[in-house]
Amino acid sequence: MRDVLPVLGRWYAAGVPFGLATVVQVSRSAPRDPGAAMAVGPDEEVVGSVSGGCVEGAVFELAQEVAAGGEARLETFGYSDEDAFAVGLTCGGEITLLVRAVTAERDPDFGAVAESVAAGEPVTVATVTDGPAPRGAALAVWPDRTLGTLGASGLDAAVTADARGELALGATGLRHYGPEGQRREDSVSVFLQSFAPPPRMLVFGAIDYAAAVARIGDFLGYRVTVCDARPVFATPRRFPEGVEVVAEWPHRYLRDTTTDERTVICVLTHDPKFDVPLLTEALRRPAAYIGAMGSRRTHADRAERLAEAGLTERELSRLRSPVGLDLGARTPEEVAVSVAAEIVALRWGGTGAPLTATEGAVHPYRSS
């Protein structure tokens, strides 16, 4: 949804109705996670994807129908053993979609949500998917305000509280309530989609490898900062557009920077005078991933120095070093792919093994 919002915002500002399909629930080997979206706008223009191609044709028709004035619909697509070529997911999974029309009259708060997402302001959108409440009704929840309604004040209050909790985690998923927000009932299904600011990727060491890692980090949706103490190397022209470049001692910059459980830290300096104080700071603060470049010999020396600096075994166990998965990478770009692969595997619980050597679902759904 974050990827297609700029286009949807333009359609909305132009007063053009469009059909929006959002994945609200998945099971087994579904190709896209909850929150994935596809929209059909003017002149049959399509943006986004909900299944990677399996059911897009059918969703296109549904989106056109609701955009033309139809009611919001909840549709489930799965694999059919009787006819593998029928509309369904050939991967064997199942997805449930909410398909609804978006117009200025029906969704007066959509523009405010799109602006907040574009500005990096956290917001959660709660949408009724099923039950006695109006299907497609939406409530936008910010840390300090709300817009819209789900049709009942009690339901709005309960969902607002839960939405702010989900927003703090950057989480997305279905919740169930009674008609007035009763938490022990499940007659009303509400999809909470959180738009937390993009996670941070902090890359230390302004070398060729850093430029490649920064590029792939930006591609994966991180807000990337490259930091190096040497101003001659820490120059924006050496890095992709949109990457922040800071000339500062790495440990000082990190000490003054807020990190959280989604932050990725890549240490590519492989110089003890930078590495040790930087990793001492990094390994004692929240982060999803902390990796450091270097040979196994460099890693052994670094680990010894960090232990001497007072880090515990538990703190040292958080360090991914040598950084990346074993892909046989040589070039900076290949190393960046190796690092990104390890970050993705760690985030979703992947093994890093070839899929030909594993069993079970290729795309098992796991909450991040």
Side-chain angles (χ1 to χ4, degrees):
M1 176 67 86
R2 187 187 296 274
D3 294 337
V4 302
L5 263 177
V7 176
L8 304 190
R10 290 197 296 273
W11 291 348
Y12 183 85
V16 178
F18 56 90
L20 176 63
T22 305
V23 178
V24 297
Q25 193 170 24
V26 303
S27 66
R28 299 192 299 277
S29 183
R32 302 297 305 274
D33 291 326
M38 169 181 160
V40 179
D43 300 322
E44 299 186 346
E45 182 180 355
V46 178
V47 294
S49 170
V50 292
S51 74
C54 299
V55 302
E56 267 67 6
V59 175
F60 174 81
E61 295 180 1
L62 287 171
Q64 281 191 309
E65 290 177 15
V66 299
E71 295 297 320
R73 297 174 60 173
L74 193 67
E75 297 285 342
T76 297
F77 296 91
Y79 180 75
S80 169
D81 291 327
E82 290 76 22
D83 186 357
F85 296 99
V87 173
L89 301 178
T90 56
C91 60
E94 186 175 273
I95 62 172
T96 299
L97 307 176
L98 175 66
V99 188
R100 65 189 184 95
V102 178
T103 67
E105 292 74 25
R106 294 187 183 188
D107 297 88
D109 309 319
F110 187 89
V113 171
E115 291 176 2
S116 289
V117 174
E121 182 181 13
V123 60
T124 294
V125 179
T127 309
V128 174
T129 65
D130 204 7
R135 178 174 289 160
L139 173 69
V141 181
W142 287 265
D144 59 350
R145 67 190 189 280
T146 64
L147 286 175
T149 180
L150 302 181
S153 59
L155 183 59
D156 287 347
V159 170
T160 295
D162 289 345
R164 286 179 174 147
E166 298 289 81
L167 187 56
L169 300 173
T172 286
L174 275 177
R175 289 290 188 102
H176 303 281
Y177 307 87
E180 288 294 331
Q182 300 93 329
R183 298 183 184 277
R184 294 188 178 183
E185 298 184 24
D186 61 0
S187 60
V188 180
S189 298
V190 179
F191 182 62
L192 302 182
Q193 185 167 15
S194 296
F195 296 95
R200 299 288 304 275
M201 173 181 279
L202 307 177
V203 182
F204 295 96
I207 58 177
D208 290 344
Y209 292 95
V213 170
R215 188 175 298 110
I216 203 166
D218 179 69
F219 176 75
L220 290 175
Y222 288 92
R223 180 162 70 90
V224 183
T225 298
V226 176
C227 176
D228 196 298
R230 302 162 295 181
V232 67
F233 294 111
T235 58
R237 67 176 179 273
R238 300 185 63 239
F239 296 93
E241 183 179 359
V243 171
E244 180 186 29
V245 181
V246 176
E248 174 63 278
W249 277 82
H251 72 284
R252 292 175 184 168
Y253 175 78
L254 183 57
R255 185 176 58 207
D256 296 331
T257 299
T258 300
T259 63
D260 60 26
E261 287 73 12
R262 301 185 301 151
T263 303
V264 166
I265 299 173
C266 298
V267 179
L268 310 181
T269 50
H270 53 79
D271 183 332
K273 69 175 178 292
F274 295 123
D275 289 0
V276 174
L278 172 59
L279 288 170
T280 300
E281 177 69 32
L283 293 169
R284 288 174 171 166
R285 59 167 50 231
Y289 175 91
I290 303 170
M293 177 177 281
S295 65
R296 299 192 189 280
R297 181 175 180 178
T298 298
H299 168 68
D301 177 70
R302 180 191 292 132
E304 184 177 342
R305 292 172 184 267
L306 289 170
E308 291 173 354
L311 270 75
T312 66
E313 288 188 13
R314 182 176 181 180
E315 290 168 338
L316 286 171
S317 69
R318 300 179 63 201
L319 180 60
R320 317 289 291 194
S321 175
V323 70
L325 297 185
D326 180 14
L327 304 183
R330 295 290 187 273
T331 68
E333 291 74 20
E334 290 174 344
V335 169
V337 170
S338 168
V339 173
E342 184 174 42
I343 292 170
V344 172
L346 186 63
R347 177 186 179 190
W348 295 107
T351 65
L355 288 172
T356 54
T358 63
E359 297 180 351
V362 174
H363 303 286
Y365 175 65
R366 302 183 181 96
S367 59
S368 62

